[in-house]
Amino acid sequence: MKKTTVRPISWKGHDLMIQRLVKQLQQSKHTIGCILALGRGGFVPGVQLSHQLDIPLVPLMWQTRDGNARQPFTSTTRTLIVDDINDSGQTLSDVTSACQFPHGHLTAVLINKTSSSFKDVDFYAEVGDDNVWYEFPWEKSV
């Protein structure tokens, strides 16, 4: 599907999304042992959630678009998988299928598109528009 509009997200907007996720996660009462931040897009929100929730961070290179990098991962505790956006759903589907989560997993994204093929996002800060390309602050060219 062709994106028709670009929506730049400021650092302030990003921080507000992080706060929404923190609140949801704290209210959920789930015990999470680690945050699995998916690279590249999930690294920044993953680090912020890790600091604010005091949960260890594990970075994982898993890219379906840029370079097709995929690291195997096996969790030793309940894991929160973090990415910036659930767009097509391919990344979250691939990670949850290919990696091992014997103690369970949850997912969190800043933006969740309802048209995504991955329908099981547990926490999201905002519902996305299918016709919008979201430009996160760490993606902007200098």
Side-chain angles (χ1 to χ4, degrees), residues 15-63:
D15 290 344
L16 289 171
M17 289 184 199
I18 291 294
Q19 290 311 309
R20 286 186 207 125
L21 287 176
V22 166
K23 185 176 181 179
Q24 290 175 32
L25 287 157
Q26 288 172 332
Q27 290 176 344
S28 76
K29 307 288 190 219
H30 284 288
T31 301
I32 298 167
C34 79
I35 291 175
L36 185 66
L38 303 181
R40 292 182 320 208
F43 284 170
V44 174
V47 167
Q48 287 187 302
L49 289 171
S50 172
H51 283 298
Q52 292 193 32
L53 297 168
D54 196 26
I55 298 172
L57 176 79
V58 176
L60 181 72
M61 284 306 300
W62 198 284
Q63 298 173 318

Side-chain angles (χ1 to χ4, degrees), residues 72-89:
F73 177 77
T74 299
S75 176
T76 58
T77 183
R78 179 178 285 162
T79 302
L80 178 66
I81 303 166
V82 177
D83 208 355
D84 54 354
I85 188 168
N86 178 27
D87 193 356
S88 71

Side-chain angles (χ1 to χ4, degrees), residues 6-142:
V6 174
R7 178 181 160 211
I9 297 172
S10 67
W11 281 110
K12 182 177 180 178
H14 170 262
D15 290 344
L16 289 171
M17 289 184 199
I18 291 294
Q19 290 311 309
R20 286 186 207 125
L21 287 176
V22 166
K23 185 176 181 179
Q24 290 175 32
L25 287 157
Q26 288 172 332
Q27 290 176 344
S28 76
K29 307 288 190 219
H30 284 288
T31 301
I32 298 167
C34 79
I35 291 175
L36 185 66
L38 303 181
R40 292 182 320 208
F43 284 170
V44 174
V47 167
Q48 287 187 302
L49 289 171
S50 172
H51 283 298
Q52 292 193 32
L53 297 168
D54 196 26
I55 298 172
L57 176 79
V58 176
L60 181 72
M61 284 306 300
W62 198 284
Q63 298 173 318
T64 55
R65 185 184 56 176
D66 300 327
N68 214 21
R70 294 174 181 187
Q71 286 179 322
F73 177 77
T74 299
S75 176
T76 58
T77 183
R78 179 178 285 162
T79 302
L80 178 66
I81 303 166
V82 177
D83 208 355
D84 54 354
I85 188 168
N86 178 27
D87 193 356
S88 71
Q90 182 178 352
T91 300
L92 290 173
S93 292
D94 288 353
V95 168
T96 56
S97 295
C99 296
Q100 301 297 311
F101 303 100
H103 301 281
H105 70 275
L106 300 162
T107 55
V109 296
L110 298 175
I111 298 173
N112 186 36
K113 292 191 175 181
T114 56
S115 64
S116 170
S117 64
F118 187 84
K119 302 295 185 192
D120 297 326
V121 172
D122 298 293
F123 305 98
Y124 55 91
E126 189 174 300
V127 173
D129 183 328
D130 290 333
N131 297 316
V132 173
W133 179 263
Y134 294 89
E135 184 181 65
F136 294 95
W138 55 88
E139 296 177 318
K140 294 181 182 179
S141 48
V142 180

